[in-house]
Structures are given as structure tokens and as C-alpha cells.
Amino acid sequence: MADQRKESDRNIRLLLSLIERTSTLEKTKGFLAARKLHFSAGSWKELVEARIEPALQSDALAADDLLEFLCESEEHGGQHIFLFRIDPDTAKQLADRVRIRVELRRRGLQTLLDRPLILDKPEAPQIVDVRWEQEERFLVKIVEPRSFFRQIDERREGNIITTVREEIIFRAVNLLRLHSDGLLEMRLQSHKNSSQYSDDINRAWDVVGTILPRVQFVEEAIVAAKTFMVREQQKLKDEIRYSDSLLKDDNGYVLSAATPDQDSNLFDNSAAARSLEQFMRPGGTYCERLNIWVSPLSGGQPSKSSIHVRLAGLPNEFALTTACSKQDYEYVLARIRECNR
Amino acid sequence: MSLQELENVIGNTPIDRQSGKRLVHLVERAKAEGHKDYTFDLLIQEVNPQSPEALALAMHALVQNGIVQRVIRVESPTTHGGIGDFSSVAEVPKEIHDWRADEDIQVRPENLHVVYKF
């Protein structure tokens, strides 16, 4: 009993530490407010000591609530997403609960079916959660250690330049989500200073192994979605703002255009708009790279905030460059899928 | 600022008279249209000065008099679109997040461009 209590306290402390790193003070206050709990605080420390801990002690808040909030914070946005496809019948077989239980037991991970593992920085990539979303989608969550280098000093003595760098190790969260219609999203946490994700893709496939066998999936290219978004920009203008684009045709010609800043819209510049529209004649031309800002429509009205989406890289790749809500993530994914038909 | 004051500011710089007139017209037009960004290359093309250095001094005078704002724009090396404006070179960080490429980059001199905002 005492061990269980210690484990529970450890998990809560870790959950709070992870939430502090992946969310913001304002969003965490919003989380408490939504549960009709006291939320005013001037700092994270104050929020934890004066608001969260008392709520936990009085059972107004549970560890599961914190876990749900952590999932919302770290599973949406700040990711590069790669789409794959499998036929729906095979998708249904792969997501079968009995099959998954067998797969997890083989790996000694069957406890994940009851509750996820709460880990900070494991030494190697680790599956920490397996769950179903309304029987329509099956999700596997992986936590892995990643590192980047930060330059902290550079000294020059004559012709000798000495650079001192610090290796920063951090926790990265990746997810694979299989839809009942056969679409698989592989969401990989964004790198700070690289745009190459081939190694990360291969590693994610290796980690899930036979749970989601790589050999059965094919890449789902989104070239059609990018080309549609440029061709139909007039129809999409209430929802999408364009920051830059790279178009190519079947003669090898390239047309690139970009705005001066992130608030401007490429198609508000009449000369740029005419050039892009003329280049995108039907047949023989496509859009290879697009940077857009999506304002989700609700009741036909765009929201005041916008989500940066980068459609570039591999043919099946797009990125939501900053953390966002689950609702916004699902909206963007749904729109890309619609534009891709 | 009145037209006369504008002409005086530009007239008190070494720029040649004809080029100075073209610069006055450019400033008036840009102010009327609003939200204009001019790189120095574009100014040279539009004003066609006898001396680019004289044009630079005229622009400096316009900046000093608050008629024009001068910013240092960091451009994305992949798309050449702007990823951040700074009021001086000293304020430009050594490393910046290129949101167009979604990665942090080391800022190099070739990524920096002087932009005059009207």
C-alpha cells in the first residue's frame, strides 16, 4: 500500500514536471478553470502549491485528469507528420484488441492496456501508451531521448578557434495512429536544427515492430492536396493564408514566391497571384512546397487565431510547427485529407 | 511632413538633383499607398542615382527624420521570405528559428537584408 502511494506520488510529480515543460502557465490555468477549480497564480510554483496540490488532496482533481491534459499538450503540434495507408480490413485486424494484447504480452508491456507508463527520459525509445479512440482509431505512443547541441562559447587564439558546445538531452514524444479507414499518421516531434526525419521514421517503425508492421503500409502522398490548395486558393481564402510556395512544371521550370513576413498573404499581392495562377495551368504543374496558416472555420466564420502548417519535405509529409489543441490538429488533418481526394 | 520639408531633407544630402526628385516622388507614392518595403537594390532601380552612396546618405537622412523606418530583415535561406525584422544588426540573434523550414538556423551575413519600410 505504501509502495503504491509512493508510486502514485512519484507519477504525479513527474506528470506536473512534464506538463510544466510541454504546456504554458496560461493553458494550465485554463485546464483548471474548465474543471471549475481555482486557477489564479502568478507562477508555476504557486499554481502547483496553491491550486493543483490542494485539488488533488481533496479529490477534486485526479492523476488521470493530469494525464489527459499532458496528452493534449504533448501529442498535438510541434510535429512532423507522415501519412501511410493500408487497406481497411487489414487495419481492423491490426487494431484488434485480442491481437494487441498478445503483442504487448510478448514484449512484457501488457500493463499498458490498463494504464500508460509515465516516463521522463528513457535510455532508449519506449512504447508508453496504447489506446483506442472510440473504436475508430488505435494509437501507440513512444517516448525517446533526443539531443541537440547548444553553443555556449567560442574563443579564438591566433588561428585556433575553440568552440564549446553543450549537449542537451530532452524527451521526445512520437505517435502512430491507425484509423479504421486505413490511414496511419506517424507524428514525430520536430527537431530543432534538422529537417531530415528518415532515421526517426525508421526508428519508429522498428519500435512498434509487429504491432504495426511497416511492410504492409504504403506512403500516402499529399501532392494533390498541395496543388489543390494553390489552384483553389480563392475558394479557401477565408480559411487559409499563404506565406510561400514552390511550384514546378513538367518542363522542369520552377516558380517560387514568398511574403515579406508571416502576417502577409501571397495572394494579396496581385502580381504574385497572377504569376502563380498562370503557372498552375491545368495539367503538368504541381505544388511541391507550401507554407500556410489555417484559421479553422466554425459556422462559416474563421477563428481569430491561425495554425502554421508546412507542407514540404517527403511526399507524404506535413508539419504543424507549434503545439496546438487536439481540436485544431484534427481540423488540419481532416482538411488536408479532404483537399487530397 | 509636408512636401517642402521632405524636399529639404533630401536636398540637404549629396544626392544629385534629378535623383533627389525621383526619391521625393517615390516617398510620396509609397506613403500614399502604404505598407511599402524597399530593399536598397529596388531603390537603386527606381531612383537610378548617379551615386549609390549618395542614395544611402539620403535614405539615412529620411530615417533620421522619422520619414522612413529601416529594419534588418532575416530571410529564410530556403524560401527567401522574411522570418524576422530587427531594428539593428546588433539585435539580430546568432541563431533564429526559421519557421518556414521549421528548423533553427545560424544567421549568416547573406541572410540579412536592409529594408526601408514606408
Side-chain angles (χ1 to χ4, degrees):
Chain A
M1 189 72 162
D3 285 345
Q4 266 184 338
R5 182 63 191 257
K6 264 190 194 170
E7 177 74 12
S8 173
D9 288 346
R10 186 197 75 85
N11 282 343
I12 286 174
R13 278 198 305 277
L14 183 50
L15 276 171
L16 290 172
S17 168
L18 294 175
I19 289 170
E20 185 183 3
R21 276 184 257 159
T22 56
S23 187
T24 65
L25 186 64
E26 287 312 306
K27 283 182 183 170
T28 311
K29 285 168 155 185
F31 156 73
L32 294 175
R35 280 161 175 73
K36 310 231 185 313
L37 298 170
H38 295 296
F39 61 88
S40 61
S43 68
W44 178 259
K45 188 169 185 288
E46 189 185 342
L47 191 71
V48 169
E49 289 174 1
R51 303 301 181 206
I52 295 178
E53 282 174 354
L56 287 166
Q57 278 155 19
S58 67
D59 291 333
L61 194 64
D64 282 351
D65 297 324
L66 294 176
L67 181 62
E68 188 184 321
F69 181 56
L70 177 66
C71 289
E72 165 98 20
S73 302
E74 68 179 4
E75 292 179 6
H76 307 95
Q79 299 159 321
H80 282 240
I81 300 108
F82 300 84
L83 300 181
F84 299 87
R85 180 158 291 285
I86 200 168
D87 71 271
D89 289 336
T90 310
K92 194 176 171 185
Q93 287 166 24
L94 289 178
D96 178 71
R97 285 177 187 263
V98 171
R99 177 187 172 272
I100 295 300
R101 183 175 290 279
V102 168
E103 288 287 341
L104 292 175
R105 189 174 294 129
R106 193 183 296 154
R107 292 168 174 76
L109 295 174
Q110 62 272 22
T111 55
L112 293 182
L113 290 169
D114 297 321
R115 64 182 318 103
L117 207 52
I118 301 168
L119 283 182
D120 188 355
K121 283 173 273 210
E123 288 189 6
Q126 167 81 53
I127 296 175
V128 298
D129 194 7
V130 159
R131 60 185 195 258
W132 286 262
E133 294 178 347
Q134 294 149 359
E135 303 306 316
E136 285 292 309
R137 291 170 289 271
F138 167 67
L139 185 147
V140 178
K141 182 168 172 176
I142 302 167
V143 169
E144 64 175 17
R146 276 217 206 141
S147 67
F148 69 94
F149 293 93
R150 180 165 62 197
Q151 185 168 316
I152 54 177
D153 192 24
E154 188 175 276
R155 276 171 263 134
R156 188 185 188 113
E157 289 175 23
N159 289 345
I160 308 293
I161 299 162
T162 305
T163 305
V164 179
R165 294 188 306 167
E166 178 190 11
E167 185 182 19
I168 313 268
I169 297 175
F170 64 97
R171 173 177 183 271
V173 173
N174 302 327
L175 296 105
L176 288 89
R177 188 169 73 161
L178 178 64
H179 297 236
S180 57
D181 65 1
L183 182 79
L184 177 82
E185 307 154 50
M186 180 183 286
R187 295 184 225 165
L188 303 178
Q189 185 162 324
S190 298
H191 285 290
K192 277 182 73 64
N193 44 23
S194 170
S195 57
Q196 301 302 311
Y197 287 83
S198 300
D199 288 346
D200 304 85
I201 293 169
N202 291 336
R203 195 163 57 247
W205 283 124
D206 285 344
V207 172
V208 295
T210 51
I211 295 175
L212 293 170
R214 165 71 182 101
V215 70
Q216 300 189 32
F217 289 88
V218 296
E219 283 89 357
E220 173 91 336
I222 56 169
V223 176
K226 288 183 271 194
T227 301
F228 179 90
M229 285 177 184
V230 175
R231 285 217 173 99
E232 303 297 328
Q233 59 82 22
Q234 185 61 25
K235 282 184 198 160
L236 298 169
K237 65 183 172 59
D238 287 339
E239 194 183 356
I240 298 180
R241 187 172 83 246
Y242 300 74
S243 283
D244 59 66
S245 67
L246 183 76
L247 312 179
K248 289 185 178 175
D249 75 4
D250 53 7
N251 292 312
Y253 283 76
V254 178
L255 186 69
S256 172
T259 56
D261 51 51
Q262 73 179 41
D263 295 324
S264 301
N265 189 349
L266 212 47
F267 289 95
D268 283 347
N269 180 295
S270 54
R274 277 198 309 274
S275 303
L276 294 167
E277 282 156 10
Q278 201 149 3
F279 194 85
M280 287 297 286
R281 66 188 186 281
T285 53
Y286 74 100
C287 174
E288 186 170 285
R289 185 187 68 218
L290 208 50
N291 259 307
I292 59 174
W293 299 78
V294 178
S295 297
L297 295 178
S298 176
Q301 294 302 313
S303 75
K304 288 192 179 133
S305 62
S306 55
I307 310 146
H308 177 219
V309 184
R310 181 175 188 264
L311 300 108
L314 295 178
N316 62 335
E317 177 181 358
F318 68 97
L320 272 71
T321 59
T322 54
C324 63
S325 67
K326 178 175 168 61
Q327 192 178 4
D328 284 347
Y329 175 85
E330 300 291 2
Y331 184 94
V332 169
L333 176 66
R335 290 301 278 132
I336 289 174
R337 294 188 70 182
E338 281 161 22
C339 294
N340 205 38
R341 282 195 201 116
Chain B
M1 177 174 278
S2 69
L3 176 60
Q4 187 60 58
E5 285 166 331
L6 176 61
E7 286 173 343
N8 287 344
V9 168
I10 292 172
N12 284 333
T13 69
I15 195 166
D16 64 277
R17 187 181 291 189
Q18 290 304 314
S19 302
K21 276 187 185 170
R22 286 191 287 271
L23 182 57
V24 166
H25 290 145
L26 184 148
V27 174
E28 282 193 306
R29 199 171 59 240
K31 289 284 191 190
E33 289 175 22
H35 304 295
K36 289 293 182 187
D37 285 358
Y38 276 79
T39 61
F40 195 65
D41 282 353
L42 184 54
L43 285 168
I44 289 175
Q45 179 183 281
E46 298 295 298
V47 174
N48 195 23
Q50 288 179 3
S51 157
E53 282 159 348
L55 175 60
L57 288 169
M59 293 309 300
H60 179 71
L62 291 173
V63 171
Q64 291 290 105
N65 281 275
I67 300 165
V68 169
Q69 186 192 5
R70 177 181 174 271
V71 299
I72 306 300
R73 177 161 295 163
V74 181
E75 282 186 1
S76 166
T78 49
T79 68
H80 298 285
I83 54 176
D85 285 354
F86 299 88
S87 54
S88 69
V89 174
E91 289 190 15
V92 176
K94 285 186 183 158
E95 193 176 275
I96 196 169
H97 184 68
D98 179 355
W99 55 267
R100 295 180 190 265
D102 194 27
E103 57 178 331
D104 294 348
I105 59 166
Q106 297 291 320
V107 180
R108 300 190 182 290
E110 59 264 33
N111 305 136
L112 303 182
H113 298 268
V114 173
V115 172
Y116 295 95
K117 296 171 78 75
F118 293 80

